[in-house]
Amino acid sequence: MKNTKINTGILSFGMSGRVFHAPFIHSNPHFNFVAVVERSQKIAQDLYPEIKSYDTVDQLLADDKIALVIVNTPNHTHFEFATEALKAGKHVLIEKPAVENITQFNELSEVSKKSGKRIFFYQNRRYDSHFLDVKKLLKVAILVN
């Protein structure tokens, strides 16, 4: 099987885009950092000269080279942008909270199935003690019931 890189775009170059996502994508041999959305300050190309900086989400989603979109915008936009990305034929990595309610989750899941594109959920705190404690409690609750 051919080893191809996943062309990836990031929807925001704020703290999470700059600190968490871009460095990982740029340094990981399985990804190719292709584009970012920067509505005001255009600073991403100073760090990553090879990327394209778009003014809008729609412009990034129209880029046929991009296979994976990272939705790291304000929480209230996650559902909308993830849905648009899936409909544009992109796989989606979405930050927490992914959606605001179960209805949105179900709708997003349905769009994913219809588009044949996957949704991945970003959880950068999964090894923090409080998260691990909740995980243990859930295991106990499942065993008890």
Side-chain angles (χ1 to χ4, degrees):
M1 178 179 205
K2 185 178 176 187
N3 216 2
T4 59
K5 290 185 174 190
I6 301 168
N7 288 337
T8 306
I10 303 175
L11 294 191
S12 174
F13 203 66
M15 188 195 70
S16 75
R18 222 176 27 259
V19 175
F20 299 121
H21 300 296
F24 173 80
I25 295 165
H26 184 71
S27 65
N28 189 304
H30 302 290
F31 294 89
N32 185 27
F33 186 16
V34 174
V36 66
V37 175
E38 296 177 288
R39 292 181 303 160
S40 53
Q41 290 185 318
K42 299 289 188 174
I43 59 173
Q45 287 182 318
D46 293 341
L47 298 169
Y48 308 100
E50 69 282 0
I51 68 160
K52 186 158 192 141
S53 177
Y54 288 111
D55 296 322
T56 68
V57 170
D58 288 340
Q59 290 172 327
L60 185 140
L61 294 180
D63 187 332
D64 291 336
K65 289 180 277 186
I66 296 174
L68 172 66
V69 170
I70 297 175
V71 178
N72 63 324
T73 52
N75 295 346
H76 70 277
T77 65
H78 287 179
F79 173 72
E80 175 189 354
F81 290 150
T83 300
E84 289 177 16
L86 290 167
K87 288 180 177 179
K90 315 295 185 195
H91 298 286
V92 172
L93 174 77
I94 186 169
E95 286 191 341
K96 61 183 178 350
V99 292
E100 295 176 3
N101 54 57
I102 192 68
T103 302
Q104 287 182 345
F105 180 82
N106 290 336
E107 287 179 36
L108 199 58
S109 296
E110 195 58 36
V111 173
S112 173
K113 288 177 192 171
K114 285 180 181 175
S115 69
K117 300 301 174 184
R118 293 187 173 213
I119 307 169
F120 305 94
F121 301 98
Y122 182 73
Q123 169 54 288
N124 64 326
R125 308 289 304 260
R126 65 187 171 276
Y127 298 112
D128 287 3
S129 63
H130 65 278
F131 185 83
L132 294 173
D133 288 342
V134 170
K135 190 175 172 182
K136 285 178 196 172
L137 289 171
L138 287 171
K139 281 184 181 178
V140 169
I142 290 169
L143 291 174
V144 171
N145 292 325

